[in-house]
Amino acid sequence: ALFATAGRRREVHVYDECTKKLASVLAGGEEGRTPGHSNRVFSMKFHPTMRSVLVTGGWDNTVQFWDLRRGHAVRAIFGPHVCGDSIDISEDGLTILTGSWRIDRQLQLWDFRTERLMDTLHWRSGASLAQPCMVYAAQFSKGDGSKLIAAGGSGANEAKIFDRRGGGVVGNILGLTRACYSVDFSNSGSMLAVAGGDGCVRVVNVNAQ
């Protein structure tokens, strides 16, 4: 088993889970396709079915696809401005979720195979009608085919739950006094935890939304 880290150095460091020793360093990109990251990295996910592939996103407005067998980035999506843990991959491995720290086009779904934009989820409702919400955190639900999406951020200081099948908001977590920096579904998909700058963790029953 492996785990990986990335950040200011714009590289991906891959470690052996058992020994905790560095196994490889991924850097740079595929000539003619992507140069890799040009600024710091804030989010990373291993592909759920392709064990040698992972994706990263950061300040440089790109999502990079890395191949451990090649040692560098092999392709990229251009557009998402990732400033937190706001990249995820659906359970079937076919869709990438990105959350961007900006006032519009915050949540987007991309085709993993073609890098094409599939959908942009409409955020502006509830508290964010008066003040936009810039996304710091986004995640697919677990154990249900990734049918739900949770995301939160700053500005409106809120989190929302979206249903991918209809594309609409099915739940709102309001009352945060500071930004939402992290969201996580339980493994069963029935609970959602939301945490942020106010030092509180809020746990909600998704099925009751």
Side-chain angles (χ1 to χ4, degrees):
L2 302 171
F3 69 92
T5 64
R8 184 173 59 184
R9 296 181 63 180
R10 308 184 300 278
E11 301 170 340
V12 177
H13 290 226
V14 182
Y15 296 85
D16 184 280
E17 173 67 34
C18 296
T19 65
K20 306 301 187 288
K21 292 183 178 180
L22 182 65
S24 61
V25 177
L26 313 180
E30 185 97 350
E31 185 176 355
R33 302 200 70 180
T34 176
H37 281 296
S38 61
N39 210 324
R40 66 180 61 197
V41 179
F42 278 96
S43 188
M44 177 186 338
K45 286 291 186 299
F46 273 98
H47 193 278
T49 61
M50 302 170 65
R51 300 180 64 181
S52 63
V53 175
L54 54 84
V55 297
T56 58
W59 268 356
D60 61 1
N61 300 326
T62 73
V63 173
Q64 300 288 332
F65 297 67
W66 304 82
D67 191 326
L68 275 65
R69 299 162 297 186
R70 305 285 291 277
H72 54 70
V74 294
R75 52 197 180 102
I77 291 171
F78 297 91
H81 184 63
V82 175
C83 295
D85 189 16
S86 60
I87 286 182
D88 203 5
I89 305 175
S90 60
E91 290 180 337
D92 61 11
L94 299 179
T95 305
I96 295 176
L97 167 68
T98 60
S100 295
W101 196 80
R102 57 193 180 201
I103 63 173
D104 59 4
R105 298 175 293 113
Q106 297 98 318
L107 281 182
Q108 296 179 306
L109 298 171
W110 307 82
D111 188 302
F112 175 83
R113 294 166 296 188
T114 66
E115 304 106 51
R116 292 180 179 175
L117 179 63
M118 299 167 59
D119 195 11
T120 299
L121 303 183
H122 183 66
W123 185 282
R124 299 294 291 274
S125 65
S128 54
L129 281 174
Q131 186 174 16
C133 185
M134 292 81 78
V135 169
Y136 276 121
Q139 186 184 96
F140 283 119
S141 57
K142 304 166 186 172
D144 61 0
S146 306
K147 70 178 183 180
L148 298 178
I149 293 169
S154 65
N157 296 339
E158 63 181 352
K160 292 180 183 289
I161 303 171
F162 297 81
D163 190 328
R164 283 180 64 194
R165 295 167 298 183
V169 176
V170 295
N172 293 278
I173 297 91
L174 306 175
L176 285 71
T177 58
R178 295 187 180 179
C180 169
Y181 291 120
S182 185
V183 297
D184 191 29
F185 282 99
S186 63
N187 288 334
S188 67
S190 62
M191 308 292 286
L192 173 68
V194 175
D198 61 2
C200 297
V201 178
R202 295 164 173 84
V203 181
V204 299
N205 186 336
V206 174
N207 297 327
Q209 291 296 312

